[in-house]
Amino acid sequence: MWIVHLALRRPYTFVVASLLLLLLTPFVLLRTPTDIFPNINIPVVSVIWGYTGLSARTLSSAWFTPTNAL
């Protein structure tokens, strides 16, 4: 509660402080490094499926077309 009483007694101090924060924010954001996350290896899933009896064209139309439509 002490900060509320201080803000009510000295309103110009808090107005100047908020304007200062507002004006300094773009400079701080520009100086912040963009690479804040570590380099990670994104997991990759590879599926190899053999299906005998169908040609490649028939298999691709039967499997890949409905899956890509999702």
Side-chain angles (χ1 to χ4, degrees), residues 30-46:
L30 290 175
R31 294 194 57 181
T32 302
T34 56
D35 191 20
I36 58 175
F37 297 111
N39 290 332
I40 58 172
N41 293 327
I42 298 173
V44 177
V45 176
S46 298

Side-chain angles (χ1 to χ4, degrees), residues 47 49 56-70:
V47 177
W49 180 33
R57 184 178 305 253
T58 308
L59 182 62
S60 71
S61 66
W63 173 254
F64 293 110
T65 306
T67 305
N68 290 337
L70 292 177

Side-chain angles (χ1 to χ4, degrees), residues 3-68:
I3 198 160
V4 175
H5 292 293
L6 183 64
L8 290 173
R9 280 186 287 145
R10 302 171 75 71
Y12 292 116
T13 303
F14 282 84
V15 169
V16 169
S18 62
L19 287 176
L20 192 66
L21 279 172
L22 186 67
L23 292 174
L24 289 179
T25 300
F27 298 112
V28 171
L29 289 177
L30 290 175
R31 294 194 57 181
T32 302
T34 56
D35 191 20
I36 58 175
F37 297 111
N39 290 332
I40 58 172
N41 293 327
I42 298 173
V44 177
V45 176
S46 298
V47 177
I48 299 173
W49 180 33
Y51 191 82
T52 57
L54 291 177
S55 67
R57 184 178 305 253
T58 308
L59 182 62
S60 71
S61 66
W63 173 254
F64 293 110
T65 306
T67 305
N68 290 337

